[in-house]
Amino acid sequence: MLEIRPVREADQPAIVRLWHEGWHDAHAHLVPTEILAYRTPAHFSLWLKQSSDAFHVAADDEPLGFVSINGAEL
């Protein structure tokens, strides 16, 4: 059953994978090639660790999607 819940420490690798893949799917064709070299999984991992946003996941056995919330901004 799908569950929406706050992120757990164990969710971080799945969030980084989803964020990396999703960003590249949506943005790779819009930015200069030089930018793509910096948008690695390590880059998204650092963003996640440094973010002050509240993250929630949609998960079954593992996260299938996520959202970050910062005040009124999703």
Side-chain angles (χ1 to χ4, degrees):
M1 179 160 81
L2 190 64
E3 169 187 31
I4 307 295
R5 60 169 171 73
V7 167
R8 299 176 186 151
E9 184 79 23
D11 297 329
Q12 289 185 5
I15 290 171
V16 168
R17 180 183 51 77
L18 290 165
W19 201 349
H20 177 258
E21 290 173 1
W23 188 93
H24 280 271
D25 284 349
H27 298 96
H29 66 285
L30 300 172
V31 300
T33 306
E34 298 81 17
I35 298 292
L36 299 179
Y38 295 101
R39 296 300 191 253
T40 64
H43 173 83
F44 290 96
S45 181
L46 183 62
W47 272 4
L48 179 60
K49 289 176 184 171
Q50 293 180 345
S51 177
S52 61
D53 293 5
F55 282 78
H56 287 72
V57 295
D60 196 347
D61 289 333
E62 66 178 65
L64 303 172
F66 72 94
V67 64
S68 66
I69 305 164
N70 187 339
E73 182 181 355
L74 290 175

